[in-house]
Amino acid sequence: MTGRRWDMGATRRMGRVFARRSPGVPEPGDLVASGKLDGALVDWAFYRAGRRDTKVNSYTEALTRARRGQGFVWIGLFQPTQRQLSIIGEEFGLHPLALEDAAEAHQRPKLERYDDTLFAVLKTVTYVPHGDLTATSEVVATGEVMVFCGPGFVVTVRHGEHSELTGLRQRLEQEPEHLAAGPGVVLHAIADHVVDRYLEVADAVQADIDLIESEMFTPRGWRRIDRVYQLKREVLELKRAVAPLTGPMRALSTLRHPLISDETRNYFRDVDDHLLRVKEQVISFDELLSSILQAGLAQVQVSENEDMRRIAAYVAILAVPTMIAGIYGMNFDYMPELRMKYAYFVVLGVMATACTVLYRLFKRNHWL
């Protein structure tokens, strides 16, 4: 592969170490102390035996210790520039293709392996609270988390306002015996955090679907059928985040890799199980909304048919007096009843009687 890789042969007995740098590459301390990551760096720390080493105050010292196999460095970045990612890539020997993906948002969830480094892309989702669901309501907002996981380091790159890993680092630091397993544990924790949010969002969307379903079958509920279509679009956004991740999670639960211990693989299997459950749930959402949409369209057709029958019934009722008035509107000299004293009232009575009979007939047949 292109890019700088780990020099594992000469220093294997000392643990995982970093590749030697070429002339002209900035010294490690430059990345933090010189401010080259300003605006993108969220946090960084050196972990030894699963504990955050607070005695390591400089980035240079942290990398030196990581090279010696004494622990690993975890760097968190938020929407870094291409230049900042290039510096990180030179520092850790990351593949240019992976760096290109990390610089661009809107990537598809995936897992790639570059020699001894794993690169994972995960879609994060969050539920957007709303009062009344409308045809323009945003229900599901998405972001992205990219994870570079290699010997002695973890680099997380976040894109989007809804890609936060709130409290994840702190929770892991409270379980040093778990974090001591190395960078693979961080990758699992991020995946578990993302999938847990999937479950939370799926439960919230389920409540919206239940509400729409109950309202759809109320009188005139079909008048707001546009909400069903909007929610279907939002569910599709959730599906795009969940469905493609099943392959990478299945791979991580079976992958034989130095960074992922047997115990960590067991944890990945648990994440994969949760992901399959939420995937089935999201697929069922899509099918249910399609059914609700079809039911709404059917109600529209039924309502249109009822309106047409009602209009036809009134037209039929009005046709009787129109016909009689049309007949007596003909200017013939010799017509029956024209000379009768009460002919006018008789004709009105016939009209009223005919209209009443027709009205009751249509009413009994539920046309009116």
Side-chain angles (χ1 to χ4, degrees):
M1 69 176 257
T2 58
R4 308 190 182 282
R5 305 306 310 161
W6 301 103
D7 182 7
M8 301 294 292
T11 55
R12 189 176 299 276
R13 62 181 178 275
M14 296 189 302
R16 302 182 180 92
V17 295
F18 291 17
R20 294 187 179 89
R21 307 140 106 61
S22 299
V25 177
E27 287 298 317
D30 292 347
L31 293 184
V32 175
S34 65
K36 292 183 181 295
L37 298 180
D38 283 355
L41 183 64
V42 178
D43 194 9
W44 72 272
F46 174 72
Y47 295 90
R48 179 168 58 182
R51 299 183 184 277
R52 185 169 186 153
D53 195 337
T54 55
K55 296 180 180 179
V56 177
N57 297 319
S58 72
Y59 183 71
T60 303
E61 182 183 357
L63 289 187
T64 301
R65 290 176 179 271
R67 290 192 181 103
R68 295 173 181 172
Q70 297 177 2
F72 69 93
V73 177
W74 180 1
I75 302 174
L77 303 175
F78 178 69
Q79 297 184 171
T81 64
Q82 183 69 54
R83 174 59 182 162
Q84 290 170 330
L85 281 174
S86 297
I87 294 174
I88 289 291
E90 288 289 342
E91 184 66 64
F92 296 107
L94 304 179
H95 198 283
L97 292 177
L99 290 174
E100 182 181 348
D101 289 342
E104 299 290 336
H106 311 296
Q107 295 292 323
R108 191 173 187 270
K110 61 182 178 180
L111 174 70
E112 295 178 345
R113 180 174 181 176
Y114 298 98
D115 292 343
D116 52 0
T117 301
L118 296 176
F119 174 62
V121 178
L122 302 95
K123 284 273 192 182
T124 60
V125 299
T126 188
Y127 180 78
V128 181
H130 47 268
D132 183 29
L133 183 63
T134 66
T136 58
S137 294
E138 184 182 22
V139 178
V140 178
T142 62
E144 292 178 31
V145 176
M146 286 84 162
V147 184
F148 295 93
C149 188
F153 73 91
V154 176
V155 178
T156 57
V157 180
R158 293 166 40 213
H159 287 280
E161 296 298 328
H162 302 290
S163 61
E164 72 277 358
L165 302 175
T166 307
L168 178 63
R169 189 186 291 260
Q170 289 73 18
R171 290 197 298 272
L172 275 176
E173 290 175 354
Q174 294 174 1
E175 301 177 0
E177 65 284 350
H178 186 51
L179 191 56
V185 170
V186 178
L187 178 58
H188 160 262
I190 294 173
D192 186 54
H193 174 80
V194 169
V195 173
D196 283 346
R197 292 302 302 270
Y198 289 169
L199 293 169
E200 295 174 6
V201 172
D203 290 340
V205 172
Q206 176 72 66
D208 281 339
I209 294 176
D210 291 342
L211 178 62
I212 283 183
E213 185 179 18
S214 61
E215 290 181 350
M216 181 57 64
F217 294 99
T218 59
R220 300 291 179 177
W222 55 267
R223 289 183 178 273
R224 303 189 67 183
I225 197 172
D226 52 349
R227 298 187 306 163
V228 182
Y229 182 72
Q230 175 64 16
L231 189 56
K232 188 174 175 64
R233 291 182 59 186
E234 295 296 308
V235 167
L236 181 60
E237 190 73 18
L238 179 60
K239 186 177 179 180
R240 287 173 181 160
V242 174
L245 191 57
T246 54
M249 282 301 105
R250 180 59 53 86
L252 286 170
S253 65
T254 58
L255 181 65
R256 297 290 177 178
H257 193 278
L259 296 176
I260 302 177
S261 65
D262 293 338
E263 183 65 20
T264 305
R265 274 195 297 274
N266 292 333
Y267 285 107
F268 274 118
R269 277 195 289 271
D270 182 65
V271 176
D272 182 49
D273 179 65
H274 291 170
L275 183 62
L276 288 176
R277 189 178 74 182
V278 72
K279 178 184 175 182
E280 293 173 355
Q281 192 173 4
V282 171
I283 291 175
S284 69
F285 289 166
D286 190 37
E287 294 174 350
L288 180 57
L289 285 171
S290 295
S291 299
I292 295 174
L293 191 61
Q294 292 297 325
L297 293 175
Q299 284 188 338
V300 171
Q301 293 177 349
V302 169
S303 178
E304 289 178 348
N305 290 337
E306 289 178 352
D307 291 340
M308 291 302 297
R309 287 193 305 179
R310 190 174 293 109
I311 293 172
Y314 282 116
V315 168
I317 293 173
L318 293 175
V320 173
T322 301
M323 179 188 67
I324 296 176
I327 292 173
Y328 281 93
M330 296 184 292
N331 297 320
F332 293 114
D333 290 334
Y334 301 101
M335 290 184 67
E337 297 88 26
L338 287 179
R339 302 300 177 183
M340 291 179 60
K341 183 177 181 180
Y342 299 103
Y344 173 74
F345 300 101
V346 171
V347 170
L348 290 180
V350 170
M351 290 181 181
T353 302
C355 290
T356 301
V357 170
L358 287 174
Y359 178 83
R360 296 187 63 180
L361 179 63
F362 287 133
K363 190 74 172 177
R364 186 174 62 184
N365 293 326
H366 304 291
W367 279 48
L368 294 174

